[in-house]
Amino acid sequence: NSMFWAITCAILVVSVSCLLYKLVKMTREYFQVRFLPGPPIESFLYGNAIPSQESTDNITQIYMFRRKWTQIYPKVCRFAVGPFVQVMCSHPDSVRTVINDNFPKHPGYGVVRDWIGDGLLTSKGEKWYRHRKLLTPAFHYEILNDFFPVYSDCVDEMLELWSTELTNTDHVVLQDWMSYLTLDILLQCICSVKTDCQVKREQLQYVKDIATLSRIVQLRFRMPLKYYYNFTFNLTELGREFKEVCSRTKKFSHDIIITRRRQIESGDRNAKYRDFLDILLHASDPKTGATLTDEEIRDEVDTFVFEGHDTTATALTWTLYLLAKHTEYQDMCRQEVFEILGGNPTITKSVISNLSFLPMCIKESLRM
């Protein structure tokens, strides 16, 4: 009995110490930004960003509140989601300050670490610098030229599916379709895998898993008191589901990497262009000759799928929404594209480089 109580007391002491440390840390963070403008924080537990629920209506409320705050506080706004204080920058000067300074990465990135591992998004320090240096060739603009046929074919497939879809309904859910489109393009550009995810959509397990992981990650940020900390999150049914789905997506990526490595080693890799996975597998430090391990490559592949498809889909949806709201600019974009294409439906680098008004609209939507 004495041993049991000793262990129990030790656990309680450690738990209370960790809780006190977190409280002190959150209090310090609040006092560091208390001088910034923002709405009053009415509750320590719920903050002032609305007690987040799982419903779509509540998500809309949150974004409407943030839009209102941007109008009231046009440069920078301090608010709280639960006990977590955040700062929202909405002016170029404020954003420039953040970008130009060497701010440490927020602990919130740990929420996605079980999914994407320790890639460029979540890593820091020497490991981040080493990976960024090894991956530099992958960010060269010229590499994108080889993928124009992929972009064009994927968009053509989506439009063909729309024509079938619209025989039974008068609308399409744009965010969903942009997500399928960008995932299709990314998987082909990153690892040359054609999944037919636009056709099969939620019937394809990987697409379903990516959607599930994205939903859970968003939910953890919207309901921080319940899901933010790994210790409590892993005890929930949602936490167990997250672990299970992460295991499947990691196996999907791992199998692709192992297959490609075998193809390269046996000389069976015949491709028109080098994709992102080829670059990762051939990357080596010029001084030491060190290469990336299969686990590090998998982390980078999963990172780019996570970072690339959802963010790009949102940007595309937002841009198309703005053009639909401002039809005069939509007409000008369409006219410019038709004039430059000249009846040829093939999109090439020269076509893109000759566009001027459409890129302006895209950049403006990103700015907004």
Side-chain angles (χ1 to χ4, degrees):
N1 285 337
S2 60
M3 180 63 71
F4 170 78
W5 286 112
I7 294 173
T8 303
C9 288
I11 292 173
L12 285 173
V13 169
V14 171
S15 300
V16 171
S17 298
C18 290
L19 180 61
L20 288 173
Y21 170 77
K22 290 291 184 183
L23 287 172
V24 170
K25 185 179 179 182
M26 286 188 290
T27 303
R28 186 174 69 247
E29 289 176 350
Y30 171 75
F31 278 100
Q32 286 175 339
V33 300
R34 71 186 186 283
F35 63 90
L36 295 175
I41 299 176
E42 299 172 356
S43 167
F44 175 77
L45 289 178
Y46 293 111
N48 54 9
I50 307 176
S52 302
Q53 305 297 324
E54 301 183 30
S55 68
T56 303
D57 290 343
N58 198 265
I59 302 172
T60 304
Q61 275 187 298
I62 293 172
Y63 287 124
M64 291 302 293
F65 263 69
R66 293 189 181 184
R67 184 177 179 183
K68 177 183 176 181
W69 294 341
T70 302
Q71 295 171 344
I72 299 173
Y73 312 102
K75 287 194 173 183
V76 64
C77 174
R78 177 258 309 136
F79 64 97
V81 180
F84 306 100
V85 179
Q86 299 182 17
V87 176
M88 178 170 60
C89 298
S90 51
H91 189 277
D93 293 341
S94 308
V95 174
R96 189 178 296 111
T97 301
V98 175
I99 293 175
N100 291 339
D101 209 328
N102 188 26
F103 286 101
K105 292 188 176 180
H106 193 275
Y109 283 112
V111 167
V112 295
R113 185 168 275 111
D114 283 342
W115 174 9
I116 65 176
D118 209 19
L120 280 179
L121 179 64
T122 54
S123 62
K124 53 187 177 181
E126 183 60 32
K127 184 172 185 178
W128 180 90
Y129 179 77
R130 173 175 169 265
H131 281 215
R132 182 65 181 85
K133 191 174 180 181
L134 289 175
L135 268 60
T136 297
F139 297 97
H140 198 285
Y141 185 77
E142 291 299 321
I143 291 178
L144 300 178
N145 295 338
D146 294 326
F147 297 112
F148 275 101
V150 175
Y151 311 149
S152 185
D153 291 345
C154 288
V155 172
D156 287 343
E157 182 178 36
M158 181 188 70
L159 295 177
E160 187 176 340
L161 290 167
W162 278 11
S163 64
T164 304
E165 187 99 355
L166 289 171
T167 58
N168 302 316
T169 181
D170 61 350
H171 69 281
V172 293
V173 181
L174 201 57
Q175 177 70 39
D176 291 347
W177 278 100
M178 292 300 104
S179 185
Y180 300 139
L181 172 67
T182 54
L183 185 59
D184 194 7
I185 292 173
L186 268 176
L187 289 174
Q188 293 188 58
C189 295
I190 289 176
C191 46
S192 300
V193 171
K194 178 64 175 172
T195 60
D196 292 325
C197 61
Q198 293 194 81
V199 177
K200 298 177 181 177
R201 283 166 268 179
E202 293 294 329
Q203 296 174 6
L204 192 68
Q205 185 63 55
Y206 185 72
V207 173
K208 188 177 180 179
D209 286 344
I210 293 295
T212 298
L213 293 175
S214 299
R215 174 180 59 81
I216 293 176
V217 167
Q218 292 174 21
L219 192 59
R220 292 187 69 180
F221 282 112
R222 295 205 309 272
M223 304 183 70
L225 294 178
K226 188 176 181 181
Y227 295 127
Y228 181 79
Y229 291 110
N230 288 333
F231 176 75
T232 53
F233 172 69
N234 291 336
L235 297 175
T236 65
E237 183 178 345
L238 197 68
R240 291 188 288 273
E241 180 186 8
F242 188 72
K243 289 279 188 183
E244 180 183 345
V245 177
C246 281
S247 297
R248 281 202 300 267
T249 57
K250 286 183 177 181
K251 184 180 184 304
F252 179 87
S253 304
H254 178 75
D255 290 346
I256 292 172
I257 293 165
I258 295 300
T259 301
R260 176 66 60 81
R261 190 181 287 281
R262 288 171 180 167
Q263 289 175 344
I264 293 173
E265 291 173 351
S266 63
D268 294 334
R269 170 64 175 157
N270 297 316
K272 297 179 182 178
Y273 49 80
R274 294 179 69 192
D275 59 21
F276 183 65
L277 183 54
D278 285 327
I279 294 172
L280 291 174
L281 286 165
H282 287 93
S284 63
D285 192 303
K287 294 182 180 179
T288 65
T291 59
L292 296 170
T293 65
D294 286 347
E295 183 180 355
E296 289 174 328
I297 292 173
R298 186 196 65 202
D299 289 348
E300 297 300 349
V301 169
D302 290 344
T303 293
F304 275 76
V305 170
F306 165 71
E307 283 189 297
H309 103 274
D310 194 52
T311 52
T312 309
T314 301
L316 287 170
T317 303
W318 174 241
T319 302
L320 292 172
Y321 167 77
L322 290 175
L323 288 173
K325 293 284 286 184
H326 302 278
T327 54
E328 67 276 21
Y329 297 120
Q330 180 185 149
D331 293 339
M332 293 170 69
C333 289
R334 183 185 294 109
Q335 182 180 352
E336 180 185 50
V337 171
F338 284 165
E339 288 176 356
I340 293 175
L341 285 175
N344 182 4
T346 305
I347 304 294
T348 62
K349 178 186 176 183
S350 61
V351 170
I352 298 298
S353 60
N354 286 325
L355 293 171
S356 59
F357 187 75
L358 177 58
M360 288 169 57
C361 290
I362 294 172
K363 292 175 181 177
E364 177 64 9
S365 73
L366 294 175
R367 184 194 68 80
M368 295 175 67

